[in-house]
Amino acid sequence: MTMPTLYHCRDARSFRVLWMLEELGIAYRLENLPFPPRDKAPAFLADNPLGTVPLLVDGAVRMTESAAICHYLATTYGDGHLARGPGDAGYPAYLDALFFGEATLTFPQTLVLRYALFEPEARRQPQVAEDYRRWYLGRLIGLESLLERDGGHVAGAAFSAADISVGYALMLADMLRLDPGSARISAYWGRLRPRPAFLRAKAAQLGPWFPWREM
């Protein structure tokens, strides 16, 4: 079996994949890139024309969607560990939470990042950033609902790739100093942060910080 290679920028969406690799305890190669790679590492466009991270290369497999990669790794390398299968009663909830972390929680945060921090001063849009900040906060009611289920994780009692997907969104919100939403969500994030694999993934990052770290 080949060793998967992850193209990564520090604390970008690719962190989900890095965290997943550490949770599964499999050997991998990490290629740290400056952010944004499409501008600061133009040679990377030959590997991924989008110029985005993550890019996972695993033999002939090439994937660029962080939540999908986490599921792929769990089912390909983890014998289903950290995933749910079609025969599992929790499978629909697992899939829903896996994509909820990216499509519902992370999407509005990217617009806050762009229009509050990443754009040149003259192109920043404070009202757009504020609107999407409020959009993100409004969507936390969905996470609250997920956590009301038994077990304290977003897809049942056991930690899974869905928690990595949602946990990354909470990590990003923490960096942006966004309101955690509720005591239940704060407690959930407090349980995810000390996980050894999360801490190893943080330590494995060698690339530069996101731009807001320097502001």
Side-chain angles (χ1 to χ4, degrees), residues 10-30:
R10 192 172 186 177
D11 290 338
R13 283 177 168 99
S14 48
F15 184 82
R16 284 190 178 107
V17 183
L18 182 56
W19 183 0
M20 188 71 182
L21 288 163
E22 289 291 347
E23 289 282 357
L24 291 171
I26 61 178
Y28 63 91
R29 187 165 68 91
L30 185 63

Side-chain angles (χ1 to χ4, degrees), residues 54-70:
L55 169 64
L56 183 81
V57 178
D58 188 21
V61 171
R62 305 175 73 83
M63 299 179 69
T64 59
E65 292 294 331
S66 61
I69 295 170
C70 288

Side-chain angles (χ1 to χ4, degrees), residues 39-200:
D39 293 329
K40 296 187 177 179
F44 177 58
L45 293 171
D47 296 301
N48 178 14
L50 291 174
T52 58
V53 292
L55 169 64
L56 183 81
V57 178
D58 188 21
V61 171
R62 305 175 73 83
M63 299 179 69
T64 59
E65 292 294 331
S66 61
I69 295 170
C70 288
H71 183 70
Y72 165 79
L73 290 171
T75 54
T76 302
Y77 286 91
D79 194 27
H81 177 57
L82 302 186
R84 304 286 184 273
D88 190 316
Y91 180 60
Y94 161 78
L95 285 181
D96 202 44
L98 182 68
F99 294 108
F100 175 83
E102 170 61 18
T104 300
L105 294 184
T106 303
F107 164 70
Q109 291 175 303
T110 63
L111 293 169
V112 175
L113 285 169
R114 176 175 179 178
Y115 289 109
L117 295 172
F118 290 169
E119 288 284 356
E121 190 74 35
R123 289 176 52 84
R124 291 182 186 177
Q125 301 287 334
Q127 187 61 57
V128 173
E130 175 61 16
D131 288 348
Y132 280 96
R133 183 189 72 84
R134 290 179 179 274
W135 184 355
Y136 165 77
L137 295 175
R139 296 316 187 265
L140 289 177
I141 191 171
L143 176 54
E144 185 79 19
S145 177
L146 293 177
L147 293 173
E148 287 174 354
R149 299 169 180 167
D150 293 338
H153 292 95
V154 294
F159 178 87
S160 71
D163 293 290
I164 290 177
S165 179
V166 171
Y168 172 74
L170 295 179
M171 184 185 91
L172 192 57
D174 210 20
M175 292 176 176
L176 288 169
R177 299 180 177 86
L178 297 179
D179 190 320
S182 72
R184 180 182 277 117
I185 293 173
S186 292
Y188 169 66
W189 175 225
R191 293 194 299 274
L192 295 184
R193 282 181 301 187
R195 291 185 66 87
F198 177 87
L199 298 176
R200 288 195 301 271

